[in-house]
Amino acid sequence: MGPIGIFGGTFDPIHYGHLRTALELLQRLSLAQVLFVPSARQPLRDPSVAPMSTRLAMVRAAVREEPRFAVDTRELERPGPSWTVDTLRSLRSDHERRSLCLLLGMDAFLSLPRWRRWEELSGLANIVVAHRPGWQPPDQGPLADLLGRCGTESPTDLHRQPAGSVLVTPVTQIDVSASQIRAAAVAGEDPRYLVPDSVREIILETECYAR
Ligand code: ATP
């Protein structure tokens, strides 16, 4: 069985930057599936704008067309802050020997040292970092050290080891962010072509980003 990719985020809303990145990583690394894990409460950033139920509905709608994508709701069901280390521990107890790959954009990777017990993450999963427009890989500090110790360019390592490797890879650069989509919605602009049509419909119906 191939590795499971884990793509966490606020998904406020989910957009084509998330979806295309997940699909390219799935194909390039021969992942068995990608689990999208919407966060409930992210302690390191502002509260989400759309309610949890709407964010979940958008993620469900977005992944419906790709059979290798699925939604994992464990952070929404857990009380308290959505720490990734807790999510990976929980996934690891479900899949003791399976390779898990935490999928991160470069911006998220660079913020890792602020995450709770971040040094434990690479012991629980492999880490895959996708380049993102405007963000450069670290050349010094704890993340550069992590890359020096655990970095690999070989997807095979992600299949051989359940955890412990870090792979940085290019993906098609789609310079879109959820905050940009929310700001455009407040200005009355249509999010068409930045998000799947099913997500656009939810945004328009619920008016979740109207001021
Ligand atoms: P916001 O603008 O509200 O901060 P966001 O668009 O960055 O949101 P998040 O839900 O915070 O989306 O991000 C979840 C994950 O998706 C992170 O690992 C982030 O790096 C990655 N990501 C977000 N947008 C892109 C993109 N356009 N291309 C590649 N990765 C992305």
Side-chain angles (χ1 to χ4, degrees), residues 14-185:
I14 191 164
H15 52 67
Y16 280 134
H18 300 129
L19 292 160
R20 182 68 206 170
T21 297
L23 183 66
E24 289 189 16
L25 294 178
L26 181 143
Q27 294 180 128
R28 186 161 320 141
L29 308 174
S30 304
L31 305 178
Q33 61 172 169
V34 173
L35 297 180
F36 287 79
V37 187
S39 62
R41 288 158 290 273
Q42 282 212 350
L44 300 175
R45 47 180 293 162
D46 291 339
S48 63
V49 176
M52 199 190 277
S53 57
T54 309
R55 290 188 291 117
L56 176 60
M58 292 191 283
V59 177
R60 282 200 203 285
V63 307
R64 200 165 288 139
E65 283 174 24
E66 169 50 65
R68 294 165 296 177
F69 285 175
V71 184
D72 185 296
T73 55
R74 71 188 68 211
E75 291 191 358
L76 304 181
E77 285 150 18
R78 199 167 69 210
S82 305
W83 298 112
T84 299
V85 68
D86 297 332
T87 304
L88 290 186
R89 279 184 181 286
S90 163
L91 282 160
R92 178 52 72 204
S93 68
D94 290 353
H95 306 278
E96 273 181 26
R97 290 200 173 71
R98 187 102 179 250
S99 167
L100 300 177
C101 293
L102 179 66
L103 312 180
L104 300 172
M106 184 61 78
D107 58 313
F109 180 64
L110 293 174
S111 74
L112 221 53
R114 293 189 287 123
W115 296 18
R116 182 162 189 251
R117 303 210 310 266
W118 75 275
E119 278 151 320
E120 293 175 31
L121 298 178
S122 62
L124 291 163
N126 296 299
I127 299 177
V128 173
V129 186
H131 283 286
R132 197 170 167 193
W135 301 89
Q136 297 303 320
D139 54 10
Q140 56 181 10
L143 294 174
D145 295 346
L146 177 68
L147 283 170
R149 276 196 321 275
C150 304
T152 180
E153 291 184 359
S154 163
T156 314
D157 287 341
L158 307 179
H159 285 250
R160 271 204 300 250
Q161 301 170 187
S165 290
V166 182
L167 182 143
V168 181
T169 183
V171 290
T172 301
Q173 301 287 283
I174 302 182
D175 194 1
V176 53
S177 68
S179 23
Q180 173 199 337
I181 293 169
R182 293 195 301 274

